[in-house]
Amino acid sequence: MQISVSGNFSLQKTLLCGQIFRVFEMKNGFIVPFNRSFLKLLQEKDKIYCTSYGESVSHGEVKKFLGINDDIDEINGELIRKAAKFLQIIQYGKGLRIMRQSPYETTISFLFSMRNSIPVIKRKLNLLSEIAGEGIKIDGTMYYFFPGSETLKNLDAQRIKKLQLGFREKWFVDFVQNYDEAFFARILGNSFEEKEKKLLGIKGIGGKVAHCILLFSMNEFSAFPVDVWIKRGMYELFDVKGSSKEVTKAGRRMFGKYAGYAQEYIFYYLRNFLSS
DNA sequence: TGACAGGAAAATA
DNA sequence: TATTTTCCTGTC
């Protein structure tokens, strides 16, 4: 399958800007899980070459998954109108898009993420997929689908222990026992505040993680997750300081309906050009 | 080898 | 209500 994109889409930035954990970097291109399939993706200029393995995936689904349909000129224009500084910030992150991931998987991913580094989170998510999920062989290597709620509900304690989640384990167990994909499908149509409230009701999920889930998997582009990097960025770039909650509020107020994109641009800018 | 990492909950004040 | 402490593991 071949997808045409504008000159201002970057597969690399989209997949590596920190929003998705389970990305396998290959010599040329990437392998990324999507539902019950894996996508092998490669970008050459304004073309994305996509091969799917497992259940068939449509052209439209891939575009939606990668955020290719987003009107990026409108988004960038809006951010620059809100704060002229984005003219500069966007230059660095130019081409990244917010993906549309599965809320169920995203929630578990960010439950694992707290006080953990990206390599560790990746390893634990891959291990979970491996011990619980089914896999498929691509070019001689096994890749495992992320397990669904039916599988995770029945995961025995011994296997869960193998994940070595530490203090996160009780929250993971509580989550898989009490929530499933249908829960997210039910609240998808709710207001931002309603969804945020429902997510905060899940044990182990606070403001930062709730906003990550809203932004990366629930079509809420005004979500504004604040971690230590964003806190630093908001202070250095916009002179905003305060608690995470306060910075989230300030970011949403300052950047409006695309605050989530603003957050990703700031994050990308910081991680790549101000890291010291 | 001890501090600390892309948080949240419980305890304390 | 605001601040501090604790939580398990991996990494350097």
Side-chain angles (χ1 to χ4, degrees), chain A residues 9 11 16 19 57 61 88 117 120 126 164 200 202 246 262:
Chain A
F9 173 82
L11 182 65
L16 301 183
Q19 59 183 319
V57 178
E61 284 175 311
Q88 176 198 354
S117 65
V120 173
N126 287 330
Q164 300 191 119
L200 290 173
I202 300 172
E246 286 162 346

Side-chain angles (χ1 to χ4, degrees), chain A residues 229-230 232-233 266-275:
Chain A
W229 288 91
I230 295 299
R232 179 180 162 196
I266 294 169
F267 188 76
Y268 194 89
Y269 178 74
L270 282 175
R271 288 305 295 260
N272 294 284
F273 300 98
L274 285 185
S275 46

Side-chain angles (χ1 to χ4, degrees), chain A residues 62-75:
Chain A
V62 177
K63 286 184 82 167
K64 185 180 171 203
F65 179 52
L66 295 173
I68 290 172
N69 296 327
D70 289 1
D71 187 346
I72 201 68
D73 292 330
E74 142 79 7
I75 292 167

Side-chain angles (χ1 to χ4, degrees), chain A residues 98-120:
Chain A
I98 304 230
M99 297 173 65
R100 270 55 156 196
Q101 303 180 58
S102 135
Y104 183 76
E105 177 174 348
T106 303
T107 301
I108 291 174
S109 300
F110 283 93
L111 264 181
F112 283 18
S113 80
M114 34 179 290
R115 219 176 165 76
N116 257 155
S117 65
I118 292 172
V120 173

Side-chain angles (χ1 to χ4, degrees), chain A residues 188-247:
Chain A
L188 203 59
N190 293 7
S191 69
F192 183 96
E193 288 72 19
E194 243 346 275
K195 281 188 280 199
E196 183 186 34
K197 199 172 143 192
K198 295 261 171 56
L199 292 175
L200 290 173
I202 300 172
K203 290 192 179 65
I205 291 184
K208 190 263 181 180
V209 170
H211 277 245
C212 283
I213 298 165
L214 288 165
L215 179 59
F216 300 141
S217 72
M218 302 191 88
N219 291 311
E220 291 292 353
F221 296 128
S222 73
F224 197 78
V226 171
D227 56 27
V228 292
W229 288 91
I230 295 299
K231 230 181 217 180
R232 179 180 162 196
M234 287 298 282
Y235 179 60
E236 290 187 7
L237 297 167
F238 298 100
D239 205 32
V240 170
K241 54 183 166 183
S243 67
S244 301
K245 200 174 169 183
E246 286 162 346
V247 176

